Amino acid sequence: MFSRLTLKQKEIVDCLEPRIVVKACPGSGKTYSVSARLANLILNKSFKHSGIAVISFTNTAGNEIKKSLFENYNIQNIGYPHFLGTIDSFVNKHIFLPFGHLIMGCKSRPEVVGTEFNQWYDYDSSMRSGYSQKITDPNFYFDKVSFDKNDDLLRLLPYNSYYFGKAVWDNMFKANNEYKKQISDLIECKEKYFKEGKANQADANYISLKLLKKYPFILESLARKYSHLIIDEAQDTTDIQMEIIELLDGAQQENIIFIGDPDQAIFEWNTADAELFLKKYNNQNYFNIELNENRRSSTKICSVLNKMVGSTTASIADVKDDVNQPAVKGYDTNDKNSVQLIKNEFLEKCTELGISHKKSAILFRGKSFGEEHFELAIDNSDDNPWVSKHYHVKDIVHGKYLMEKGEFRKSLKLLERSYYKCLNPDLRYVSKVFLLNEIEQKGFREYRKKMFEFINLLPTTNSKTLKEWIIETNSVIIDKGFNQLLVKINKSNFLIKELFHKVETSDLLFNLGTIHSVKGQTFDATLLFLKKKAIKNYSTVLANNYNEPDETKRRKDKEELRLVYVACSRPKRLLWLAVPNDDIDIWKDYMGLNLIVSLPLSSAPPNLFSP
């Protein structure tokens, strides 16, 4: 399979330079190149107790590498002495979980909490302030803040996610150089729960960096354990993650290779910084390789991508001569039916071209567009059915729903914690340590038996409203010693299926989702919907004379355009962009499509706009 590599890809596989940076354009076969280099090392180099660490930034990217290894090189499992996983899993496994207590001051092994891992709800929802009535309890923000390399409090979400605003975040100190109360309250909250062994993932990275600096033996042990480092999607590193990698690099690894594309950096909202990758690329101590051949998209799509970022990528794809011009469509923002008309026209075009709807994707910027036009989820704001301090009820319903879908692992993670909260209403938080103690006391068989007895008590969620399901469930579980499940009955008259996902992916004729959800994926055809405004109006961001003086705002604007670029680089043959009618001209100029005419969609579908 190595014979299928291009000359540039072979250079990545065979390069013997100790420090390498690869800048890879969309569709250049980055994953194929990473898996080829990894396979070549495994097949041709002797590894005994020191191995290769392949670090990605999403599970999707890691799974793609595993898939490529198996399909192309028949390497099924990457086990000892190697590692293949996300940067977070690498940090947690090797640094934070075994050694975090040395920094945090907790008495036992720490654990990662937060909505992605173990939901954090230990706060008082009655503590509210201001016109928006946002929660002011510092506990509510435990998993929404962390610390930067200088030990200053770091926000992990936009300014409007907090009960205090930009002015406090931008100036955390009072005139006497003490922290403002809002900041000191959050810091005290973090320190309190650190001592209890709780941290969110950003905390885990922060604490791990401190550990590597304070305890050299940890760094030395890791350096001996992994002689080769492969850093995939390196443009998505945060400054703390990059410094952790640099410390490993400085510990005299035999080889380290960074692979990424700064034009596809779309996680700056999560404190990632593409400039860190560019500094590596421009560093004379690193050997540079550039993959600028697109093996995915047609020449016509590549010409649009080149115009968007000022690159010179050439198509070498099987479909490079495809005749379909990228198109810009206009829709009427006052007529919801116009979005559906574009969607239908796109799917009809796919059928005409012989493109399976399963290989087509309809994308949008932000979940709100999907909720409004494609019914992806119900409103989950304060006007939701969940009762304060009874959020485990949501996990019980969701867990049973996932169990019936066959997603057993996700289901059990939700249900086993909820089981104990349902038994004891005063139990606010169920830790991993708590569960391990239960297993030790009961024995695994008895523990799992009790768990499944509880799950089997729960009625099916199929074709039931939340209200119906809650009433039926309470009639069954209360007699078995469980506490009543509480929800806001007057806000529960919708199907459970609608609560978690109004349109099931398996039921769709096409792929549907946000731009972030499809990063790294390939489709034959893509339709991207953009609204009038993301962070600010696109017409402002794309204006020729636009010059934002605020560096932070400029970075956000650039990330907005990179999001569009990532979406437009997904398809092989067909690319459509749908924008409000008023914005057609600015997108025409930006994408190099010069003969665009718009028709109001309330009366007829728009024409295909092509140069």
Side-chain angles (χ1 to χ4, degrees):
M1 295 303 293
F2 291 103
S3 61
R4 292 174 53 187
L5 296 164
T6 66
L7 291 177
K8 280 290 186 181
Q9 289 173 333
K10 285 179 181 177
E11 187 178 359
I12 293 173
V13 173
D14 299 330
C15 186
L16 299 178
E17 294 288 337
R19 302 292 178 267
I20 308 165
V21 179
V22 178
K23 189 160 71 171
C25 73
S28 59
K30 176 178 64 64
T31 298
Y32 188 64
S33 303
V34 169
S35 62
R37 181 176 178 87
L38 180 56
N40 185 56
L41 285 169
I42 291 173
L43 296 173
N44 296 302
K45 186 176 176 62
S46 176
F47 290 97
K48 293 184 179 179
H49 302 297
S50 179
I52 309 163
V54 185
I55 297 173
S56 63
F57 285 81
T58 62
N59 287 316
T60 299
N63 291 335
E64 285 296 312
I65 295 171
K66 291 177 185 177
K67 180 181 177 183
S68 179
L69 277 174
F70 177 66
E71 291 180 348
N72 297 311
Y73 306 102
N74 199 31
I75 299 175
Q76 188 163 4
N77 294 309
I78 300 296
Y80 181 86
H82 309 301
F83 173 90
L84 173 54
T86 65
I87 180 70
D88 290 339
S89 62
F90 181 85
V91 165
N92 291 345
K93 178 179 179 179
H94 296 300
I95 310 172
F96 174 69
L97 292 177
F99 303 110
H101 63 282
L102 298 175
I103 295 290
M104 299 167 72
C106 51
K107 296 180 180 179
S108 59
R109 182 182 175 95
E111 65 175 323
V112 178
V113 301
T115 53
E116 185 181 351
F117 302 93
N118 188 359
Q119 290 184 333
W120 183 261
Y121 290 124
D122 197 10
Y123 61 89
D124 185 351
S125 62
S126 68
M127 294 176 62
R128 294 178 180 269
S129 166
Y131 174 78
S132 63
Q133 285 294 292
K134 288 185 176 179
I135 294 172
T136 58
D137 185 350
N139 294 301
F140 178 74
Y141 300 96
F142 176 82
D143 56 356
K144 300 170 179 61
V145 296
S146 185
F147 296 95
D148 63 20
K149 293 194 302 183
N150 300 317
D151 302 325
D152 290 327
L153 198 68
L154 176 70
R155 63 180 177 86
L156 302 177
L157 297 173
Y159 290 113
N160 60 9
S161 301
Y162 305 90
Y163 73 94
F164 56 90
K166 184 176 184 297
V168 175
W169 277 114
D170 289 350
N171 184 8
M172 300 182 186
F173 297 92
K174 296 184 289 189
N176 61 1
N177 287 326
E178 292 181 357
Y179 281 116
K180 292 178 179 176
K181 187 177 188 308
Q182 299 96 321
I183 301 299
S184 62
D185 285 349
L186 291 178
I187 292 174
E188 288 176 11
C189 171
K190 299 295 287 188
E191 292 174 346
K192 169 189 173 184
Y193 288 111
F194 280 180
K195 291 178 181 178
E196 294 182 11
K198 301 179 180 72
N200 62 34
Q201 186 57 60
D203 296 331
N205 295 335
Y206 161 75
I207 291 165
S208 295
L209 177 59
K210 295 178 78 69
L211 284 164
L212 293 182
K213 289 181 174 181
K214 187 173 182 179
Y215 299 101
F217 76 89
I218 303 175
L219 184 60
E220 292 165 4
S221 173
L222 269 178
R224 288 194 301 269
K225 190 175 184 67
Y226 299 111
S227 59
H228 289 64
L229 298 178
I230 299 176
I231 315 299
D232 188 28
E233 302 285 3
Q235 77 279 350
D236 292 329
T237 49
T238 67
D239 58 348
I240 285 179
Q241 290 170 337
M242 183 62 83
E243 187 162 346
I244 288 173
I245 295 168
E246 287 174 344
L247 286 173
L248 289 170
D249 186 10
Q252 302 303 310
Q253 256 61 41
E254 183 177 332
N255 178 265
I256 182 168
I257 178 170
F258 294 89
I259 303 175
D261 179 8
D263 291 327
Q264 296 188 72
I266 59 174
F267 289 98
E268 289 192 351
W269 60 271
N270 198 26
T271 71
D273 186 355
E275 290 297 321
L276 299 170
F277 174 78
L278 284 173
K279 286 180 182 178
K280 285 280 183 286
Y281 187 75
N282 295 321
N283 189 327
Q284 293 183 350
N285 294 324
Y286 288 81
F287 182 79
N288 288 351
I289 300 174
E290 186 167 358
L291 292 181
N292 57 3
E293 296 173 326
N294 190 313
R295 301 163 64 96
R296 174 190 295 151
S297 303
S298 69
T299 296
K300 292 185 182 297
I301 292 176
C302 283
S303 67
V304 167
L305 300 178
N306 288 338
K307 177 67 168 58
M308 294 171 75
V309 297
S311 61
T312 56
T313 299
S315 174
I316 59 169
D318 294 339
V319 297
K320 70 177 182 178
D321 296 324
D322 191 276
V323 298
N324 290 285
Q325 294 280 11
V328 175
K329 301 279 183 174
Y331 66 88
D332 184 350
T333 56
N334 296 315
D335 180 7
K336 288 190 176 182
N337 188 49
S338 63
V339 169
Q340 301 305 317
L341 286 170
I342 290 182
K343 179 202 77 174
N344 294 338
E345 186 190 1
F346 171 74
L347 295 176
E348 288 170 6
K349 185 65 176 178
C350 289
T351 300
E352 176 189 325
L353 296 174
I355 296 174
S356 164
H357 290 175
K358 287 291 186 181
K359 294 184 178 180
S360 63
I362 296 179
L363 308 177
F364 36 84
R365 169 67 177 94
K367 292 181 179 179
S368 61
F369 191 94
E371 293 171 0
E372 180 179 359
H373 296 284
F374 297 102
E375 297 185 318
L376 280 182
I378 65 161
D379 178 14
N380 208 24
S381 63
D382 287 340
D383 190 30
N384 64 43
W386 313 116
V387 175
S388 175
K389 300 184 180 181
H390 291 269
Y391 290 105
H392 65 282
V393 177
K394 178 181 179 181
D395 291 343
I396 291 174
V397 183
H398 195 190
K400 183 64 175 182
Y401 169 78
L402 290 174
M403 182 69 71
E404 292 172 344
K405 283 183 63 183
E407 298 183 27
F408 302 114
R409 181 175 295 183
K410 291 181 181 178
S411 171
L412 284 172
K413 285 185 71 173
L414 291 171
L415 287 167
E416 64 180 348
R417 287 182 166 90
S418 305
Y419 167 84
Y420 288 101
K421 293 178 183 178
C422 197
L423 279 173
N424 181 1
D426 296 325
L427 188 62
R428 299 294 306 281
Y429 176 73
V430 177
S431 68
K432 190 172 183 179
V433 173
F434 177 96
L435 294 177
L436 290 173
N437 288 337
E438 287 292 313
I439 293 172
E440 185 177 345
Q441 291 176 16
K442 291 184 173 68
F444 182 77
R445 288 180 180 273
E446 183 64 21
Y447 170 86
R448 189 52 60 91
K449 176 185 174 184
K450 292 290 185 184
M451 201 63 59
F452 276 99
E453 285 177 353
F454 172 67
I455 294 170
N456 291 332
L457 274 178
L458 304 175
T460 178
T461 63
N462 188 38
S463 301
K464 289 191 177 82
T465 66
L466 178 61
K467 177 179 179 180
E468 292 169 342
W469 191 85
I470 289 293
I471 292 173
E472 184 177 347
T473 301
N474 282 332
S475 70
V476 174
I477 68 170
I478 292 174
D479 291 341
K480 299 293 183 179
F482 295 96
N483 288 281
Q484 181 181 15
L485 303 185
L486 298 179
V487 295
K488 300 172 186 174
I489 294 297
N490 62 331
K491 300 183 186 300
S492 304
N493 288 310
F494 47 79
L495 293 174
I496 290 174
K497 180 179 179 180
E498 293 176 335
L499 174 61
F500 298 110
H501 208 285
K502 274 195 172 181
V503 180
E504 290 297 315
T505 302
S506 59
D507 297 336
L508 290 172
L509 294 175
F510 51 88
N511 296 281
L512 182 68
T514 64
I515 300 170
H516 285 97
S517 71
V518 298
K519 189 171 185 292
Q521 297 186 44
T522 296
F523 306 100
D524 285 350
T526 297
L527 166 61
L528 170 63
F529 281 98
L530 294 177
K531 297 190 294 186
K532 187 86 178 164
K533 183 177 182 180
I535 290 178
K536 61 168 60 77
N537 286 338
Y538 286 109
S539 56
T540 302
V541 177
L542 293 174
N544 290 331
N545 60 351
Y546 171 66
N547 185 18
E548 172 60 66
D550 188 315
E551 173 61 26
T552 300
K553 290 181 179 178
R554 279 204 305 274
R555 286 167 64 103
K556 289 180 178 179
D557 294 342
K558 290 178 182 177
E559 184 173 11
E560 284 298 325
L561 297 181
R562 288 198 295 266
L563 276 165
V564 178
Y565 177 75
V566 166
C568 291
S569 64
R570 297 307 95 200
K572 295 180 178 180
R573 299 178 57 196
L574 186 66
L575 169 62
W576 283 12
L577 177 67
V579 301
N581 283 327
D582 292 345
D583 283 352
I584 286 177
D585 286 341
I586 60 167
W587 287 108
K588 167 190 69 175
D589 291 338
Y590 183 61
M591 300 176 71
L593 304 175
N594 301 312
L595 297 175
I596 298 179
V597 182
S598 174
L599 291 178
L601 281 171
S602 56
S603 58
N607 290 330
L608 176 67
F609 307 114
S610 60

